[in-house]
Amino acid sequence: MQNSTESIRRKIIHIDMDAFYASVEQRDNPELRGKAIAVGGSPEGRGGVVATASYEARKFGVRSAMPSKQARQLCPEVIFVRPRFAVYKEVSQKIREIFRRYTDLIEPLSLDEAYLDVTEDKLDIGSAIEIAKQIKQAIKDELQLTASAGVSINKFVAKIASDMNKPDGLTFIGPSGIEAFMEKLAVEKFFGVGKVTAEKMKKMGLFTGADLKKLPEDEMIKHFGKAGRFYYQIARGIDNREVQPNRETKSIGAEDTFAYDLTEIEEMNIELDKLSQTVCNRLQVYQLKGRTITLKIKYSDFKQITRNYSVSEPVCDFEVITDAAKKLLLATNPEGKRIRLLGVTLSNFGEIAPKQKKPEHPDQLELFEE
Ligand code: DCP
Ligand code: MG
């Protein structure tokens, strides 16, 4: 947009598969088609959480990360299906092959989601909307699955756009529409704004992009630290983050900002168990093991520290990861301190070939799956 550093206007597509795991299961098992299904959780609906739900199950309110028991209560006929990670990974690779017909500037965010920079496309199509249409069609024809696409001039707007007309959507937000679009956007939709920051913003009377825009940059930084600078720009529709190809998974982590500061070690350990479990689940999807466990702590005064511990053999075990995180925590003398955020990350992946060096990442907020 009105940013002097951005000399060429970029064409960015964000693609996200619809109800990804569930759609793959319905595709491969005709008996599940048209039915309310939940992938993950326990088949009896006792333990575990739902990874994702089919659109039929979503009508009843079944959602990702919901305990199976609750899913069963909301939708008694829901069918629990065991996840098949290897199949999702394979589909993910095929989607990427389709993307590569158009551009090499592909940045996968997860198995089912990627940014594409098609400012210059290999087939000289020129129109990003046309490319998005062709990609969606190829995914339908070749993989019998649907995807939703968002097309815009930057990553943030493209990502929000891809979510607007799910499933099977294609949403274009052009330069002239961005400003009005951002003004109406709820603060919790802004990139990097989690539930705690959203609450804080609402307490300050900030509910939409239009409200955020009223705050000068120094005020934003005062209230939200480093992220404030990014919010200031994004509220104006400016997002200069580049699409980063070759962005390998260098680490897998999870973090949580708490609704209130933690002061008791027991509470902290419970949170470390939850975070370590999330990390383990993601390691399973990516089939990775790592040697270095990193603990991140942010105190109530926003001061942040990280501590890490390396083991001799790559691991992906919950026990090892959570134990290491707890030991790292103890070594920081947490008694009496007020902790607002904890994070657990595993890195230093053993089996993967050496990578190119990652380009300098301007985005301070994207801390995971680097
Ligand atoms: N996933 C998971 N646990 C979560 C969220 C997601 O295991 N808490 C998995 C299952 C999803 C896949 O990641 O199928 C992709 O996540 P999305 O958020 O894109 O969700 P879906 O693709 O399932 O649905 P949507 O149509 O809303 O994109
Ligand atoms: Mg998806």
Side-chain angles (χ1 to χ4, degrees):
M1 290 203 41
Q2 337 55 358
N3 192 328
S4 55
T5 59
E6 200 177 30
S7 47
I8 309 171
R9 182 161 282 160
R10 296 177 298 151
K11 300 175 188 170
I12 309 292
I13 302 176
H14 178 262
I15 303 257
D16 187 306
M17 300 296 287
D18 301 320
F20 184 48
Y21 296 1
S23 304
V24 172
E25 296 307 327
Q26 289 181 321
R27 178 193 72 173
D28 293 350
N29 183 351
E31 283 176 18
L32 298 176
R33 292 185 199 156
K35 304 241 170 84
I37 73 164
V39 179
S42 91
E44 297 77 29
R46 282 194 242 107
V49 295
V50 172
T52 198
S54 65
Y55 278 84
E56 294 84 352
R58 289 183 196 193
K59 285 192 202 127
F60 293 84
V62 181
R63 295 279 180 275
S64 290
M66 177 180 278
S68 314
K69 200 173 156 207
Q70 191 183 349
R72 170 75 79 208
Q73 280 162 359
L74 288 169
C75 179
E77 73 248 46
V78 71
I79 303 169
F80 289 93
V81 181
R82 206 178 289 278
R84 295 178 301 153
F85 296 117
V87 179
Y88 311 143
K89 216 175 164 182
E90 202 184 305
V91 172
S92 181
Q93 278 159 4
K94 292 199 173 132
I95 303 165
R96 282 181 208 165
E97 279 164 27
I98 293 173
F99 299 159
R100 258 194 295 276
R101 295 174 196 164
Y102 300 90
T103 178
D104 290 323
L105 289 176
I106 300 164
E107 179 181 334
L109 297 177
S110 69
L111 290 184
D112 91 321
E113 209 189 326
Y115 289 114
L116 280 63
D117 184 325
V118 294
T119 310
E120 288 177 34
D121 68 278
K122 288 182 183 175
L123 303 178
D124 237 353
I125 294 170
S127 156
I129 298 174
E130 177 58 26
I131 295 168
K133 269 189 199 154
Q134 292 190 15
I135 289 174
K136 276 163 54 70
Q137 194 60 46
I139 291 174
K140 243 179 235 169
D141 293 344
E142 298 168 35
L143 301 169
Q144 292 76 49
L145 291 168
T146 64
S148 293
V151 179
S152 191
I153 58 167
N154 66 45
K155 284 166 116 175
F156 178 69
V157 180
K159 185 165 161 83
I160 299 278
S162 74
D163 205 38
M164 285 173 61
N165 291 300
K166 265 183 169 289
D168 205 11
L170 199 175
T171 308
F172 169 68
I173 299 174
S176 58
I178 288 187
E179 212 153 338
F181 173 75
M182 299 308 283
E183 284 182 358
K184 279 196 228 105
L185 202 64
V187 290
E188 49 265 59
K189 296 263 183 178
F190 277 75
F191 180 73
V193 175
K195 55 186 190 299
V196 174
T197 306
E199 275 313 306
K200 183 171 169 183
M201 286 179 169
K202 286 178 186 169
K203 280 199 189 118
M204 291 168 66
L206 307 169
F207 296 93
T208 63
D211 297 330
L212 286 183
K213 243 168 127 175
K214 288 184 203 138
L215 245 60
E217 190 171 9
D218 55 344
E219 281 282 307
M220 279 286 213
I221 294 167
K222 196 176 98 198
H223 290 291
F224 305 106
K226 241 188 238 165
R229 192 187 306 278
F230 188 77
Y231 301 151
Y232 179 83
Q233 294 217 330
I234 210 92
R236 285 156 182 77
I238 301 166
D239 175 9
N240 291 323
R241 289 173 302 150
E242 284 175 13
V243 171
Q244 294 183 354
N246 310 321
R247 195 173 145 187
E248 305 280 348
T249 304
K250 287 184 179 167
S251 68
I252 286 191
E255 64 177 40
D256 203 4
T257 305
F258 309 113
Y260 58 93
D261 295 337
L262 303 186
T263 52
E264 306 288 327
I265 294 184
E266 293 86 73
E267 290 180 301
M268 297 170 197
N269 283 341
I270 291 171
E271 294 302 330
L272 291 179
D273 278 343
K274 284 193 216 160
L275 293 168
S276 301
Q277 192 56 60
T278 304
V279 170
C280 281
N281 293 346
R282 294 168 95 176
L283 288 168
Q284 192 184 0
V285 171
Y286 291 89
Q287 317 216 314
L288 289 170
K289 291 183 176 191
R291 289 183 44 230
T292 303
I293 295 123
T294 302
L295 173 72
K296 172 170 150 186
I297 305 176
K298 204 188 263 181
Y299 299 102
S300 56
D301 62 359
F302 283 89
K303 193 173 158 258
Q304 182 179 307
I305 61 165
T306 59
R307 296 286 181 269
N308 59 62
Y309 175 76
S310 293
V311 290
S312 53
E313 288 296 318
V315 292
C316 61
D317 320 67
F318 167 73
E319 290 296 337
V320 179
I321 294 170
T322 196
D323 284 352
K326 287 173 189 166
K327 283 193 186 116
L328 289 169
L329 175 70
L330 263 188
T332 66
N333 297 318
E335 304 87 350
K337 295 193 180 142
R338 305 182 67 82
I339 292 182
R340 73 185 309 264
L341 173 148
L342 286 172
V344 175
T345 299
L346 195 76
S347 59
N348 208 348
F349 297 130
E351 295 98 328
I352 299 181
K355 327 268 152 47
Q356 297 111 302
K357 227 177 152 216
K358 201 178 105 185
E360 197 52 47
H361 202 315
D363 177 3
Q364 304 290 337
L365 298 164
E366 258 177 32
L367 296 167
F368 296 107
E369 283 170 32
E370 291 192 348

